[in-house]
mmCIF file of all heavy atoms in Angstrom:
data_model
loop_
_atom_site.group_PDB
_atom_site.id
_atom_site.type_symbol
_atom_site.label_atom_id
_atom_site.label_comp_id
_atom_site.label_asym_id
_atom_site.label_seq_id
_atom_site.Cartn_x
_atom_site.Cartn_y
_atom_site.Cartn_z
ATOM 1 N N GLN A 27 -14.400 52.148 30.597
ATOM 2 C CA GLN A 27 -13.412 53.215 30.682
ATOM 3 C C GLN A 27 -12.325 53.046 29.620
ATOM 4 O O GLN A 27 -11.958 53.987 28.915
ATOM 5 C CB GLN A 27 -12.806 53.229 32.081
ATOM 6 C CG GLN A 27 -11.865 54.382 32.363
ATOM 7 C CD GLN A 27 -11.294 54.313 33.763
ATOM 8 O OE1 GLN A 27 -10.753 53.283 34.173
ATOM 9 N NE2 GLN A 27 -11.436 55.393 34.515
ATOM 10 N N LYS A 41 -5.990 56.791 13.493
ATOM 11 C CA LYS A 41 -5.019 55.703 13.378
ATOM 12 C C LYS A 41 -5.613 54.390 13.854
ATOM 13 O O LYS A 41 -6.496 54.359 14.712
ATOM 14 C CB LYS A 41 -3.765 56.020 14.202
ATOM 15 C CG LYS A 41 -2.860 57.076 13.624
ATOM 16 C CD LYS A 41 -1.565 57.170 14.428
ATOM 17 C CE LYS A 41 -0.588 58.129 13.788
ATOM 18 N NZ LYS A 41 0.721 58.143 14.508
ATOM 19 N N GLN A 50 1.419 38.563 31.979
ATOM 20 C CA GLN A 50 2.061 38.113 33.210
ATOM 21 C C GLN A 50 3.241 37.200 32.929
ATOM 22 O O GLN A 50 3.566 36.944 31.775
ATOM 23 C CB GLN A 50 1.041 37.397 34.097
ATOM 24 C CG GLN A 50 0.448 36.140 33.484
ATOM 25 C CD GLN A 50 -0.698 35.596 34.310
ATOM 26 O OE1 GLN A 50 -1.585 36.327 34.721
ATOM 27 N NE2 GLN A 50 -0.672 34.306 34.581
ATOM 28 N N GLU A 59 10.157 40.777 24.498
ATOM 29 C CA GLU A 59 10.395 42.175 24.123
ATOM 30 C C GLU A 59 10.659 42.360 22.625
ATOM 31 O O GLU A 59 10.171 43.339 22.026
ATOM 32 C CB GLU A 59 11.561 42.744 24.940
ATOM 33 C CG GLU A 59 11.922 44.188 24.623
ATOM 34 C CD GLU A 59 12.811 44.352 23.386
ATOM 35 O OE1 GLU A 59 13.571 43.402 23.067
ATOM 36 O OE2 GLU A 59 12.730 45.408 22.730
ATOM 37 N N PHE A 75 -0.201 49.293 21.624
ATOM 38 C CA PHE A 75 -0.318 49.166 23.070
ATOM 39 C C PHE A 75 0.046 47.747 23.489
ATOM 40 O O PHE A 75 -0.140 46.791 22.728
ATOM 41 C CB PHE A 75 -1.758 49.462 23.536
ATOM 42 C CG PHE A 75 -2.121 50.913 23.524
ATOM 43 C CD1 PHE A 75 -2.489 51.543 22.334
ATOM 44 C CD2 PHE A 75 -2.104 51.661 24.692
ATOM 45 C CE1 PHE A 75 -2.835 52.878 22.315
ATOM 46 C CE2 PHE A 75 -2.453 53.001 24.682
ATOM 47 C CZ PHE A 75 -2.811 53.615 23.492
ATOM 48 N N GLU A 87 7.551 50.467 30.239
ATOM 49 C CA GLU A 87 7.334 51.910 30.272
ATOM 50 C C GLU A 87 8.258 52.694 29.348
ATOM 51 O O GLU A 87 7.854 53.686 28.761
ATOM 52 C CB GLU A 87 7.479 52.431 31.706
ATOM 53 C CG GLU A 87 6.241 52.166 32.553
ATOM 54 C CD GLU A 87 6.377 52.733 33.953
ATOM 55 O OE1 GLU A 87 7.518 52.887 34.422
ATOM 56 O OE2 GLU A 87 5.339 53.011 34.573
ATOM 57 N N LEU A 92 6.539 51.184 21.693
ATOM 58 C CA LEU A 92 5.155 51.212 22.151
ATOM 59 C C LEU A 92 4.667 52.647 22.283
ATOM 60 O O LEU A 92 5.414 53.533 22.705
ATOM 61 C CB LEU A 92 5.029 50.504 23.505
ATOM 62 C CG LEU A 92 5.496 49.050 23.577
ATOM 63 C CD1 LEU A 92 5.393 48.535 25.007
ATOM 64 C CD2 LEU A 92 4.690 48.159 22.625
ATOM 65 N N PHE A 113 -10.070 46.988 18.818
ATOM 66 C CA PHE A 113 -8.700 46.872 18.328
ATOM 67 C C PHE A 113 -8.698 46.415 16.876
ATOM 68 O O PHE A 113 -9.471 45.533 16.482
ATOM 69 C CB PHE A 113 -7.897 45.882 19.171
ATOM 70 C CG PHE A 113 -7.824 46.247 20.633
ATOM 71 C CD1 PHE A 113 -8.155 45.313 21.607
ATOM 72 C CD2 PHE A 113 -7.441 47.514 21.031
ATOM 73 C CE1 PHE A 113 -8.102 45.636 22.945
ATOM 74 C CE2 PHE A 113 -7.379 47.845 22.376
ATOM 75 C CZ PHE A 113 -7.718 46.913 23.336
ATOM 76 N N LEU A 165 4.443 36.023 13.352
ATOM 77 C CA LEU A 165 5.566 36.885 13.005
ATOM 78 C C LEU A 165 6.769 36.034 12.603
ATOM 79 O O LEU A 165 6.827 34.848 12.958
ATOM 80 C CB LEU A 165 5.928 37.773 14.195
ATOM 81 C CG LEU A 165 4.872 38.804 14.597
ATOM 82 C CD1 LEU A 165 5.196 39.399 15.963
ATOM 83 C CD2 LEU A 165 4.777 39.913 13.547
ATOM 84 N N GLN A 202 8.167 28.029 41.121
ATOM 85 C CA GLN A 202 8.016 26.574 41.132
ATOM 86 C C GLN A 202 9.049 25.963 42.065
ATOM 87 O O GLN A 202 10.256 26.053 41.818
ATOM 88 C CB GLN A 202 8.189 26.002 39.722
ATOM 89 C CG GLN A 202 7.046 26.342 38.783
ATOM 90 C CD GLN A 202 7.217 25.678 37.430
ATOM 91 O OE1 GLN A 202 8.249 25.777 36.784
ATOM 92 N NE2 GLN A 202 6.181 24.984 36.996
ATOM 93 N N ARG A 205 12.143 23.818 41.071
ATOM 94 C CA ARG A 205 13.331 24.439 40.484
ATOM 95 C C ARG A 205 14.323 24.896 41.556
ATOM 96 O O ARG A 205 15.469 25.211 41.235
ATOM 97 C CB ARG A 205 12.930 25.658 39.647
ATOM 98 C CG ARG A 205 12.023 25.328 38.470
ATOM 99 C CD ARG A 205 11.717 26.588 37.672
ATOM 100 N NE ARG A 205 10.830 26.305 36.547
ATOM 101 C CZ ARG A 205 10.446 27.202 35.649
ATOM 102 N NH1 ARG A 205 10.887 28.449 35.733
ATOM 103 N NH2 ARG A 205 9.632 26.867 34.665
ATOM 104 N N LEU A 215 27.320 27.228 48.093
ATOM 105 C CA LEU A 215 27.810 27.937 46.915
ATOM 106 C C LEU A 215 28.307 29.337 47.280
ATOM 107 O O LEU A 215 29.373 29.771 46.821
ATOM 108 C CB LEU A 215 26.714 28.040 45.857
ATOM 109 C CG LEU A 215 27.126 28.724 44.547
ATOM 110 C CD1 LEU A 215 28.209 27.929 43.840
ATOM 111 C CD2 LEU A 215 25.927 28.941 43.643
ATOM 112 N N PHE A 218 31.640 29.024 48.918
ATOM 113 C CA PHE A 218 32.701 28.743 47.949
ATOM 114 C C PHE A 218 33.154 30.028 47.263
ATOM 115 O O PHE A 218 34.353 30.303 47.152
ATOM 116 C CB PHE A 218 32.231 27.735 46.904
ATOM 117 C CG PHE A 218 33.153 27.649 45.721
ATOM 118 C CD1 PHE A 218 34.335 26.916 45.799
ATOM 119 C CD2 PHE A 218 32.870 28.340 44.544
ATOM 120 C CE1 PHE A 218 35.208 26.868 44.728
ATOM 121 C CE2 PHE A 218 33.737 28.284 43.461
ATOM 122 C CZ PHE A 218 34.907 27.551 43.553
ATOM 123 N N LEU A 236 18.271 32.353 53.085
ATOM 124 C CA LEU A 236 19.651 31.949 53.371
ATOM 125 C C LEU A 236 20.104 32.302 54.785
ATOM 126 O O LEU A 236 20.858 31.560 55.396
ATOM 127 C CB LEU A 236 20.596 32.587 52.345
ATOM 128 C CG LEU A 236 20.364 32.198 50.880
ATOM 129 C CD1 LEU A 236 21.543 32.640 50.036
ATOM 130 C CD2 LEU A 236 20.123 30.707 50.723
ATOM 131 N N LYS A 249 14.065 44.489 48.006
ATOM 132 C CA LYS A 249 14.465 45.890 48.146
ATOM 133 C C LYS A 249 14.585 46.625 46.811
ATOM 134 O O LYS A 249 14.806 47.844 46.811
ATOM 135 C CB LYS A 249 15.795 45.962 48.895
ATOM 136 C CG LYS A 249 15.733 45.382 50.305
ATOM 137 C CD LYS A 249 17.093 45.418 50.986
ATOM 138 C CE LYS A 249 17.016 44.778 52.376
ATOM 139 N NZ LYS A 249 18.339 44.762 53.057
ATOM 140 N N ALA A 256 17.567 44.566 37.307
ATOM 141 C CA ALA A 256 18.251 44.401 36.016
ATOM 142 C C ALA A 256 19.530 45.229 35.960
ATOM 143 O O ALA A 256 20.570 44.760 35.474
ATOM 144 C CB ALA A 256 17.317 44.795 34.878
ATOM 145 N N ASP A 302 22.230 35.230 23.052
ATOM 146 C CA ASP A 302 23.480 34.609 23.501
ATOM 147 C C ASP A 302 23.297 33.589 24.617
ATOM 148 O O ASP A 302 24.198 32.785 24.864
ATOM 149 C CB ASP A 302 24.462 35.695 23.959
ATOM 150 C CG ASP A 302 25.035 36.485 22.793
ATOM 151 O OD1 ASP A 302 24.904 36.010 21.643
ATOM 152 O OD2 ASP A 302 25.595 37.571 23.021
ATOM 153 N N VAL A 307 26.886 31.347 23.976
ATOM 154 C CA VAL A 307 27.989 32.298 23.927
ATOM 155 C C VAL A 307 28.155 33.013 25.264
ATOM 156 O O VAL A 307 29.267 33.289 25.712
ATOM 157 C CB VAL A 307 27.761 33.327 22.796
ATOM 158 C CG1 VAL A 307 28.747 34.489 22.900
ATOM 159 C CG2 VAL A 307 27.876 32.656 21.436
ATOM 160 N N GLY A 317 15.361 14.883 36.244
ATOM 161 C CA GLY A 317 14.551 15.367 37.352
ATOM 162 C C GLY A 317 14.609 16.872 37.462
ATOM 163 O O GLY A 317 14.989 17.582 36.523
#
Side-chain angles (χ1 to χ4, degrees):
Q27 186 181 52
K41 287 188 175 185
Q50 62 189 47
E59 179 278 333
F75 285 80
E87 281 182 335
L92 303 176
F113 301 129
L165 294 167
Q202 290 184 308
R205 298 182 181 183
L215 182 63
F218 167 79
L236 299 193
K249 299 177 182 178
D302 287 345
V307 169

